[in-house]
Amino acid sequence: MESLKGKTRGEDLYEQVSAVIERRNLPWSKLANVTTDGSPNLTGKNVGLLKRIQDKVKEENPAQNVVFLHCIIHQESLCKSILQLNHVVDPVVKLVNFIRARGLNHRQFVTFLEETDAAHQDLLYHSRVRWLSLGKVLQRVWELKEEISSFLELKEKSEEFPELSDENWLCDFAFAVDIFSHLNELNVKLQGKDQFVHNLYTNVTAFKSKLILFSRQMSNKSFTHFPTLATQKEATRNTKKYCKSLDDLQREFRRRFSDFEKNDKSLQLVSCPLSQDPDTAPQELQLELIDLQSDSASKENFKSLKLTDFYASLNKATFPNLLRLAQEMIVLFGSTYVCEQTFSVMNINKARHRSKLTDQHLRSILRIATTKLAPDFDALAKKGDQQYCSHPTVVSFSTVS
């Protein structure tokens, strides 16, 4: 992790990355993968960071192919825009801000919820930079819509939010609640550390199949997986519109994840080598796959060990090509989850009250906050190194008159 000050153009990013790689004596020829959030200064075709990295790797090793991936979580989040539900989202966000952004309204609303024994005690703010935010906000507003309508009547503000009495809008709102609930469920599956790329892409592939199922059921006026929408009388009249939205979302998923699809066959081969047909595998792997699938000990190890431990247990002399492919696939980062998590930790520590926090101190704080290593306190105590800090002396005087 490096600090960037000033501009963040592609050439600035490349200079910083290049300096780190050279400082740590890492060979460019062994670079296997770069995963980004898809911003233009990273993915620009001519002067972006990825183009510069690709050119540098080709200079060192023309045969090396670097796998460039767009974070799978970011792509999933970007797919939501194809639904075109701004006519639902904007009024909901406006409603939440009306209640929560004004101190008096917020206090009165919380008291009103307590008096009516509502299912929740407050509304949630919407934040665009949080992956699950929109789905949770829509769900909370839907569950409190009756209390919100009553509160607006007490405040004589019902006319400012006519959508709450519009049946067609409520029907679209219900559809948004259900589809964003499914999207949030997928998003949670994509989060986490140490996730193999194939597992991430499998979740996305499964979701595309689910969208096809949703559309087919919706066309038959079945709302099995849309419980909120099923409560609305207008749902059956709008099935064509919702089917189109689901189809558009499915096509957007297919378009956006093309970079993962290119490596899908290799990922499947590494993830499930015992079930792969040697005839369809690359020529250099065919004989090794037959040997592996005929070895009963390897079959047992595959069932009992983690994928990384399984490949570590294979004989390097017997399976050199298969191990090389496994290394190339397992090291891929499917998402920038680790970076995003570290960035959140940094924001928590880099508060406005800590204006004198240096880059070195911040890096040390983040290393402690994110490391998996446990300190050896016994070894530190035996070294006998102690840091003595001076403390201010505080004296209190009191007088009696």
Side-chain angles (χ1 to χ4, degrees):
M1 186 181 63
E2 296 294 322
S3 299
L4 282 175
K5 297 178 174 63
K7 298 179 180 179
T8 57
R9 299 169 299 178
E11 58 183 297
D12 302 315
L13 295 172
Y14 174 75
E15 290 176 2
Q16 199 73 17
V17 171
S18 180
V20 172
I21 289 179
E22 293 176 3
R23 187 167 65 245
R24 297 187 178 276
N25 296 322
L26 300 174
W28 284 97
S29 59
K30 290 188 177 294
L31 182 62
N33 159 243
V34 180
T35 301
T36 71
D37 62 0
S39 58
N41 56 352
L42 297 172
T43 59
K45 293 182 179 180
N46 298 320
V47 293
L49 173 65
L50 300 188
K51 178 63 168 60
R52 294 172 184 272
I53 289 178
Q54 188 178 36
D55 293 341
K56 180 65 177 179
V57 173
K58 289 297 182 182
E59 289 180 9
E60 300 286 336
N61 183 8
Q64 176 69 9
N65 291 319
V66 183
V67 177
F68 297 115
L69 297 177
H70 185 176
C71 172
I72 199 168
I73 303 179
H74 281 83
Q75 291 195 79
E76 184 270 344
S77 183
L78 291 172
C79 285
K80 300 174 183 177
S81 60
I82 200 67
L83 293 172
Q84 296 182 352
L85 290 171
N86 289 337
H87 69 289
V88 172
V89 175
D90 292 344
V92 170
V93 173
K94 178 183 176 182
L95 176 61
V96 172
N97 291 340
F98 170 77
I99 294 176
R100 289 217 54 177
R102 304 180 185 182
L104 178 60
N105 289 348
H106 188 208
R107 290 192 300 272
Q108 291 177 342
F109 183 70
V110 171
T111 303
F112 180 77
L113 293 179
E114 292 175 354
E115 293 175 350
T116 56
D117 293 329
H120 303 285
Q121 299 302 314
D122 204 352
L123 293 174
L124 300 175
Y125 268 128
H126 171 48
S127 176
R128 292 182 181 272
V129 297
R130 295 184 181 274
W131 294 320
L132 306 179
S133 174
L134 183 55
K136 290 185 176 181
V137 170
L138 293 174
Q139 182 72 37
R140 181 65 60 87
V141 172
W142 177 267
E143 294 174 355
L144 292 175
K145 67 180 185 302
E146 301 297 335
E147 289 81 0
I148 292 173
S149 297
S150 301
F151 179 75
L152 292 176
E153 290 178 2
L154 291 174
K155 297 285 291 184
E156 297 182 353
K157 295 291 184 179
S158 300
E159 295 180 357
E160 295 185 14
F161 301 95
E163 295 86 358
L164 293 176
S165 57
D166 186 342
E167 292 185 358
N168 287 322
W169 185 86
L170 287 173
C171 192
D172 291 345
F173 186 13
F175 172 76
V177 170
D178 286 331
I179 192 61
F180 276 104
S181 176
H182 290 300
L183 287 167
N184 277 9
E185 183 180 349
L186 171 62
N187 196 293
V188 171
K189 291 179 180 178
L190 300 178
Q191 296 182 35
K193 296 182 179 180
D194 302 326
Q195 290 221 52
F196 183 36
V197 176
H198 182 260
N199 297 335
L200 298 176
Y201 187 62
T202 298
N203 290 323
V204 171
T205 303
F207 188 76
K208 288 189 287 188
S209 299
K210 291 178 182 179
L211 289 174
I212 296 174
L213 173 67
F214 295 159
S215 179
R216 185 167 61 248
Q217 291 180 340
M218 193 80 70
S219 62
N220 295 328
K221 301 187 185 304
S222 174
F223 307 102
T224 305
H225 302 287
F226 287 77
T228 309
L229 182 61
T231 62
Q232 300 302 299
K233 297 179 181 179
E234 299 294 324
T236 55
R237 299 181 183 178
N238 298 321
T239 52
K240 289 185 178 180
K241 178 173 65 174
Y242 300 145
C243 286
K244 182 180 181 304
S245 296
L246 293 172
D247 293 339
D248 291 342
L249 183 60
Q250 197 270 342
R251 283 193 292 271
E252 184 70 2
F253 264 78
R254 192 187 312 136
R255 181 185 70 85
R256 280 198 171 274
F257 296 97
S258 57
D259 49 349
F260 287 88
E261 190 173 355
K262 292 177 183 177
N263 301 283
D264 189 37
K265 290 184 178 180
S266 297
L267 291 171
Q268 286 185 9
L269 197 153
V270 172
S271 180
C272 306
L274 300 180
S275 61
Q276 297 298 311
D277 184 1
D279 290 336
T280 61
Q283 294 180 358
E284 66 274 12
L285 298 176
Q286 291 176 347
L287 299 182
E288 294 182 15
L289 276 178
I290 293 175
D291 291 337
L292 180 66
Q293 294 172 1
S294 302
D295 187 356
S296 57
S298 297
K299 291 180 180 179
E300 291 298 323
N301 288 338
F302 185 78
K303 294 178 182 178
S304 59
L305 298 177
K306 292 172 56 180
L307 194 64
T308 51
D309 295 335
F310 166 73
Y311 281 105
S313 68
L314 296 181
N315 189 300
K316 295 181 180 179
T318 308
F319 306 101
N321 296 313
L322 188 59
L323 284 172
R324 188 180 303 111
L325 177 64
Q327 288 175 340
E328 292 175 357
M329 293 297 104
I330 290 177
V331 299
L332 299 181
F333 278 92
S335 73
T336 58
Y337 177 87
V338 177
C339 301
E340 299 287 353
Q341 189 181 53
T342 306
F343 188 71
S344 297
V345 175
M346 186 194 72
N347 282 337
I348 293 172
N349 285 277
K350 196 176 180 181
R352 59 189 180 91
H353 298 294
R354 306 179 71 175
S355 58
K356 294 185 178 181
L357 190 66
T358 64
D359 292 342
Q360 181 180 358
H361 288 157
L362 181 60
R363 187 178 292 108
S364 299
I365 290 172
L366 293 178
R367 179 179 292 275
I368 294 171
T370 58
T371 185
K372 293 181 179 179
L373 299 176
D376 189 347
F377 291 106
D378 293 335
L380 293 173
K382 288 179 181 178
K383 288 178 64 177
D385 296 338
Q386 297 183 10
Q387 182 178 2
Y388 295 94
C389 300
S390 60
H391 299 281
T393 302
V394 180
V395 180
S396 176
F397 298 92
S398 61
T399 59
V400 179
S401 58

